[in-house]
Amino acid sequence: MGETKHAGPTKLSKKPRPDLWVSKVPFGLGKIKPHHLRDTLKVAWENKDNLPYATRILTQGVCDGCALGVSGLKDQTLVGPHLCTTRLNVLRLNTMPAIDEEILHADIDELRSMDSTELRKLGRIPYPLLREPGDRKFRRISWDEALNKIAEKIKTIDPKQLAFYLTSRGITNETYYVAGKVARFLGTNNIDNASRICHSPSKTALNRSVGVGASTCNYKDWIGTDVLMFWGSVAANNQPVSTKYMYAAKRKGTKIIIVNPHFEPAMEKYWIPSNVESALFGTKLADDVYQVNVGGDIAFTHGIMKHWFEMEEEEHGSAINQTFVQEHVNGLEELEKKVKSYRWEQLEKSSGLSKERMRELALLLAKSKSAVFVWSMGLTQHRFGTDNVSQVANLALLRGFLGREHCGLMPIRGHSGVQGSGEMGADPFVLPGSDMDEENRKRVEQYWNFNIPDWQGDIVGVTLENALLPRNHERNLKLYYMSGGNFLETMPNPEFVRQCLENVDIRVHQDIIFNTSTLLDAKEAVIVLPAMTRYEQPGGGTSTSTERMVYFSPEIKGPRIEEARSEWEIYVDLAKRVKPNESDLIDFKDAAAVREEIALLNRNYDGIQYLKEKGDVFQWGGAWLCEGGVCPTPDGKGNLIPVELPELRKPEGHFYVSTRRGKQFNSMIYGETDPFTDADRYDVLMNEVDGRKHNIADGDAIVAYNKHGFFSGRAKFAPVKEGNIAVHWPEGNSLIPESVYETYAGIPDYNAPVIVERAETYYAYKDTKYAEKRIEELELEPN
Ligand code: SF4
């Protein structure tokens, strides 16, 4: 934790920099790129029935899109407007009216004929709904009926058979905190959140490496750092305003380096709409790209360190920051031994990059005085995601890129609420303030004045699987209470997820809209509860950005869905109905009272209790965590973690598939065509060399398949690393096996080996032994 406070936004020079331009042709005419003006007009048209309210949300509220973080139109990094099409796209979720009654109560199969995009556009859930086995339609019920039914069920089951899940778009810290408390009040530790499937390995790895599971630095540190590296992150697409910070960094001479199997065009060049120069002529972003194999990051980072250790043998201090390591780091010898144990051939084969290329980056980093490492799902969504992140932390610790200006480790978040979800305790491994260790549990019990269960709660994937356990099993999932989320489209193997969701006795969907999961059957009842958006909640709410800024979003005057309720209030109401005799233990007067309690229980959040007005913000932990190299670990030192090279058994001629995002906000699709790549949702991005090898031409109908499922689409040649393909998420989830979790953080592995064939070949042999035999070849592969 640091003493230094964030100094607030800086001004960007207006002096043109033609050397950074993509082209002299204005507005990138003729190039494949997003059309921001057209998209903005489209959003204005969509919100035409509620434009004043939409404007108030944009100018007063905290963005409910990604976690870059902005209050109104101002951020803490650069002076000037902060707005992007992602925020504009999700705006309609907040301004649209209720679902038309006729459609709301239509036959369930009629609703099921719609996809999640169509369901989203229907409008808001207006009042509590119930559907029981045999019902063809949702039926309106009262809040009393809905909550009493849920409460009665909870009373009859073992708390281990009850689970909660909270997603991240729009959910506030107050809701996460209260949900975490209510879950424990009801006797269960089965509570998890959306970070389980995105950045849980980041938190786990950073905790073990530097003692704190959050970004150690700020976006301002990007601007003027020697090297800004993006590992498995397409920030330009998923956190669009980050391109403005990249532009500012380039102006200061920062080198931007990309590590990804696919050289995403959005990271190569971008037309930043809020910057006149960039909007006109574009900005070249990436200085270099290292196209690693899917799953090749550990070998790649070992390669960099192997070069460093070789350089050190020639000249002490030529690569490793020896002073920093001696004073602030543990485990050098063990790490060196591990790194040196791998041969260059192993590292080259696994990473897909040559020794010489790895040396280029090793040299660049060795001579750099500062660097910021930013990463996303490309590192985390692996069965070795925590180790991937530890390797990046190892690099930072060896070079001393930590705890000072222009240096740091940043897991960039894609959901506005997700940073706070774990920090508030909506997590099976966490209570407010710390982990579920004995000491913290006792501390929190004292505040809460009730016992917290001492058994380990389950992660979301295991919770879903618990629905298929024998009915008399103590963990057979009988009631699943979800705030948002759409597992059918976010978890691997949709068919398996469907079975799990349908096998729960009662499923509760607390949400603002329908999605495909809401419409599935349940054994006893599906109950749908209408939630308020973050802008409607009395007393406002807070959310925490990637850089640990805790922003206050006020209640904003505007039209309301009459029966929608503040999410944290619903949890409290339910808890009181389950345990009426202890209701005083779970009471909160208002949202401010929740913030008061958060400040008491999570000392990092001391300051949240003072947030009251639009624009109020504070940063927990100061500008730099581990300031001066002092980490919040027991001995104050960072830990180098020796990491095993993962075994990547991909038979010759097969591919690794990974998933990517297009025009979408997390699993919400906003366009069938990706404006950066021009790829349709069912295009399979592959290298042209691979296409030629497999007799596949650009645009050919192809099938990617393995023993788990298949994906039909069209080949689209793109700068993807040979031997790897990329498909859109969530469509590509059919190729991803269920039940494969990362060891330490429990994230599902969203990558798998596949065979790729022209569709005519695949279908011609589909009914013969041939196809079965080919699939059997994959039986030996690791899951
Ligand atoms: S970049 Fe993220 S935080 Fe900023 S406006 Fe866009 S969605 Fe919101």
Side-chain angles (χ1 to χ4, degrees):
M1 308 299 164
E3 293 293 307
T4 309
K5 297 278 173 249
H6 192 283
T10 52
K11 254 193 167 157
L12 196 54
S13 164
K14 290 210 169 85
K15 203 166 153 219
R17 284 284 304 270
D19 57 312
L20 300 178
W21 293 359
V22 174
S23 147
K24 287 184 184 151
V25 180
F27 301 111
L29 287 174
K31 297 203 182 297
I32 296 167
K33 64 181 272 297
H35 298 280
H36 293 111
L37 183 62
R38 194 184 63 191
D39 286 355
T40 306
L41 292 173
K42 195 172 141 235
V43 168
W45 180 254
E46 267 174 17
N47 289 280
K48 62 184 181 304
D49 56 345
N50 243 331
L51 263 183
Y53 182 46
T55 309
R56 283 197 294 282
I57 289 173
L58 291 179
T59 53
Q60 298 174 20
V62 171
C63 178
D64 56 346
C66 84
L68 207 63
V70 58
S71 170
L73 299 171
K74 288 185 192 152
D75 64 33
Q76 300 298 308
T77 306
L78 289 173
V79 174
H82 175 138
L83 184 63
C84 77
T85 45
T86 300
R87 185 175 187 188
L88 291 171
N89 281 331
V90 295
L91 183 61
R92 188 61 180 153
L93 293 171
N94 302 295
T95 63
M96 61 190 180
I99 305 174
D100 182 272
E101 290 267 329
E102 217 171 291
I103 299 171
L104 183 67
H105 299 288
D107 187 276
I108 192 70
D109 283 341
E110 208 175 306
L111 290 171
R112 283 175 181 160
S113 69
M114 300 181 206
D115 62 22
S116 282
T117 305
E118 291 164 323
L119 290 167
R120 179 181 78 225
K121 288 181 178 169
L122 290 178
R124 296 272 301 273
I125 297 163
Y127 39 71
L129 297 163
L130 171 71
R131 209 168 60 77
E132 292 172 309
D135 286 352
R136 298 297 311 162
K137 300 170 182 179
F138 278 112
R139 167 164 80 78
R140 181 177 186 166
I141 54 174
S142 67
W143 271 103
D144 274 341
E145 192 182 343
L147 292 181
N148 286 340
K149 195 172 175 66
I150 301 165
E152 287 312 311
K153 181 72 181 178
I154 292 175
K155 286 184 204 170
T156 65
I157 60 177
D158 187 315
K160 287 181 181 159
Q161 298 172 329
L162 164 68
F164 293 88
Y165 174 82
L166 293 94
T167 189
S168 297
R169 197 212 60 81
I171 295 189
T172 57
N173 288 330
E174 289 78 350
T175 296
Y176 289 123
Y177 177 81
V178 173
K181 184 173 180 179
V182 162
R184 276 61 183 233
F185 178 74
L186 298 178
T188 187
N189 281 324
N190 294 329
I191 176 163
D192 209 356
N193 65 75
S195 75
R196 185 67 48 213
I197 60 170
C198 62
H199 267 301
S200 53
S202 303
K203 190 173 163 185
T204 309
L206 288 177
N207 260 324
R208 72 182 186 182
S209 291
V210 298
V212 58
S215 170
T216 66
C217 60
N218 315 286
Y219 311 125
K220 269 179 84 175
D221 292 310
W222 297 12
I223 305 168
T225 184
D226 286 351
V227 181
L228 175 58
M229 286 192 67
F230 290 90
W231 305 75
S233 166
V234 192
N237 189 25
N238 302 314
Q239 294 88 4
V241 178
S242 65
T243 53
K244 213 164 114 178
Y245 311 156
M246 291 184 222
Y247 167 82
K250 298 283 294 186
R251 290 188 68 102
K252 293 265 185 190
T254 296
K255 275 202 175 349
I256 297 185
I257 306 290
I258 311 297
V259 183
N260 210 28
H262 177 204
F263 188 14
E264 293 271 357
M267 295 301 281
E268 185 186 1
K269 50 190 184 300
Y270 202 92
W271 284 257
I272 304 160
S274 59
N275 179 289
V276 179
E277 182 192 16
S278 179
L280 272 172
F281 304 113
T283 303
K284 288 183 265 181
L285 298 178
D287 288 277
D288 201 354
V289 57
Y290 289 84
Q291 291 187 257
V292 287
N293 280 327
V294 170
D297 300 276
I298 290 177
F300 179 51
T301 37
H302 269 313
I304 296 165
M305 290 190 280
K306 195 170 167 75
H307 275 304
W308 284 353
F309 287 121
E310 287 176 4
M311 287 163 71
E312 284 293 315
E313 279 168 15
E314 283 170 25
E315 186 187 344
H316 186 69
S318 60
I320 290 170
N321 183 338
Q322 296 287 355
T323 316
F324 184 88
V325 169
Q326 264 186 13
E327 284 177 23
H328 301 295
V329 179
N330 297 315
L332 181 65
E333 267 178 36
E334 295 87 336
L335 178 71
E336 185 173 354
K337 204 166 138 208
K338 173 60 73 184
V339 170
K340 286 182 171 171
S341 73
Y342 294 114
R343 287 174 287 108
W344 279 113
E345 306 82 72
Q346 285 174 286
L347 302 181
E348 287 184 322
K349 185 161 186 258
S350 179
S351 69
L353 288 162
S354 68
K355 178 182 172 184
E356 289 70 35
R357 279 293 277 155
M358 291 189 251
R359 183 170 170 81
E360 280 175 39
L361 185 57
L363 285 176
L364 174 70
L365 292 172
K367 69 173 196 259
S368 298
K369 293 199 166 40
S370 55
V372 176
F373 297 148
V374 182
W375 67 90
S376 281
M377 306 326 50
L379 281 194
T380 59
Q381 289 186 331
H382 289 271
R383 65 190 153 81
F384 37 81
T386 299
D387 283 348
N388 273 342
V389 177
S390 289
Q391 284 286 84
V392 175
N394 284 343
L395 296 181
L397 286 169
L398 287 174
R399 288 290 306 132
F401 295 148
L402 188 72
R404 59 188 168 95
E405 193 178 19
H406 298 144
C407 290
L409 293 161
M410 179 178 283
I412 194 164
R413 306 280 193 154
H415 248 163
S416 65
V418 75
Q419 180 72 38
S421 55
E423 288 162 1
M424 294 299 109
D427 186 305
F429 304 105
V430 179
L431 285 170
S434 189
D435 293 343
M436 285 283 288
D437 56 81
E438 186 68 7
E439 189 186 335
N440 194 39
R441 196 159 55 80
K442 292 274 171 250
R443 183 186 70 95
V444 178
E445 276 178 349
Q446 272 192 348
Y447 273 110
W448 284 352
N449 207 18
F450 58 79
N451 290 336
I452 296 169
D454 59 2
W455 46 270
Q456 178 57 56
D458 284 324
I459 56 170
V460 54
V462 173
T463 295
L464 280 167
E465 289 176 35
N466 287 348
L468 302 181
L469 290 171
R471 274 198 72 73
N472 57 359
H473 192 288
E474 66 166 7
R475 294 224 182 193
N476 172 240
L477 182 65
K478 296 213 161 71
L479 195 149
Y480 205 1
Y481 194 116
M482 290 161 276
S483 275
N486 182 5
F487 294 138
L488 207 47
E489 296 184 19
T490 54
M491 294 297 283
N493 193 343
E495 197 37 54
F496 176 77
V497 174
R498 173 192 302 278
Q499 286 170 32
C500 298
L501 288 172
E502 289 187 337
N503 219 40
V504 181
D505 288 357
I506 294 185
R507 250 186 15 251
V508 181
H509 295 269
Q510 181 170 295
D511 213 327
I512 60 172
I513 51 170
F514 278 165
N515 61 44
T516 45
S517 294
T518 331
L519 306 179
L520 296 176
D521 290 337
K523 284 165 86 172
E524 289 177 15
V526 177
I527 297 174
V528 184
L529 302 176
M532 282 180 165
T533 69
R534 69 162 56 163
Y535 309 114
E536 297 167 350
Q537 298 181 20
T542 58
S543 61
T544 310
S545 74
T546 289
E547 59 175 353
R548 298 172 277 107
M549 293 283 174
V550 186
Y551 284 99
F552 179 76
S553 195
E555 180 184 358
I556 296 171
K557 282 204 175 69
R560 293 288 184 263
I561 298 293
E562 212 176 308
E563 290 205 30
R565 294 180 66 186
S566 203
E567 295 212 55
W568 68 263
E569 286 182 336
I570 305 171
Y571 283 111
V572 171
D573 192 346
L574 174 68
K576 288 178 173 178
R577 288 169 198 256
V578 180
K579 294 185 174 184
N581 298 336
E582 298 167 58
S583 63
D584 57 317
L585 296 177
I586 199 74
D587 212 10
F588 290 99
K589 183 165 63 73
D590 52 24
V594 182
R595 290 190 280 278
E596 294 276 351
E597 197 171 299
I598 293 171
L600 282 174
L601 281 195
N602 185 338
R603 297 307 292 159
N604 281 338
Y605 275 76
D606 187 17
I608 194 173
Q609 69 274 37
Y610 307 120
L611 306 182
K612 293 183 175 65
E613 308 287 341
K614 162 196 149 192
D616 283 356
V617 58
F618 80 101
Q619 185 183 37
W620 74 254
W624 303 295
L625 303 181
C626 311
E627 191 168 348
V630 180
C631 296
T633 47
D635 64 357
K637 290 188 173 187
N639 298 308
L640 293 166
I641 311 281
V643 165
E644 289 285 330
L645 202 59
E647 199 181 355
L648 301 173
R649 282 188 290 153
K650 182 175 64 115
E652 196 55 38
H654 293 198
F655 292 81
Y656 265 120
V657 64
S658 66
T659 61
R660 67 181 294 278
R661 278 61 170 164
K663 194 172 170 63
Q664 63 194 92
F665 173 69
N666 292 292
S667 65
M668 293 181 187
I669 315 297
Y670 281 95
E672 288 304 308
T673 307
D674 179 344
F676 294 105
T677 59
D678 201 31
D680 287 341
R681 300 292 308 176
Y682 284 88
D683 279 348
V684 178
L685 304 190
M686 70 187 307
N687 191 293
E688 191 174 350
V689 173
D690 284 329
R692 278 203 300 273
K693 263 193 227 161
H694 290 258
N695 196 24
I696 292 168
D698 193 42
D700 273 358
I702 58 173
V703 174
Y705 66 97
N706 55 22
K707 65 181 176 181
H708 312 293
F710 75 101
F711 180 92
S712 301
R714 290 202 174 270
K716 185 164 183 69
F717 292 158
V720 174
K721 178 79 183 168
E722 280 173 52
N724 303 271
I725 59 168
V727 295
H728 282 110
W729 181 87
E731 291 85 343
N733 278 347
S734 53
L735 292 167
I736 310 294
E738 77 277 5
S739 310
V740 183
Y741 306 115
E742 196 270 347
T743 317
Y744 308 102
I747 195 170
D749 184 353
Y750 282 90
N751 311 278
V754 291
I755 297 170
V756 176
E757 282 184 354
R758 285 156 60 97
E760 59 193 53
T761 320
Y762 176 81
Y763 287 109
Y765 288 101
K766 190 169 177 285
D767 297 329
T768 71
K769 295 271 181 219
Y770 174 77
E772 285 167 28
K773 194 174 160 208
R774 296 292 298 273
I775 292 172
E776 277 166 13
E777 287 173 23
L778 291 169
E779 297 280 340
L780 292 173
E781 288 162 20
N783 273 334

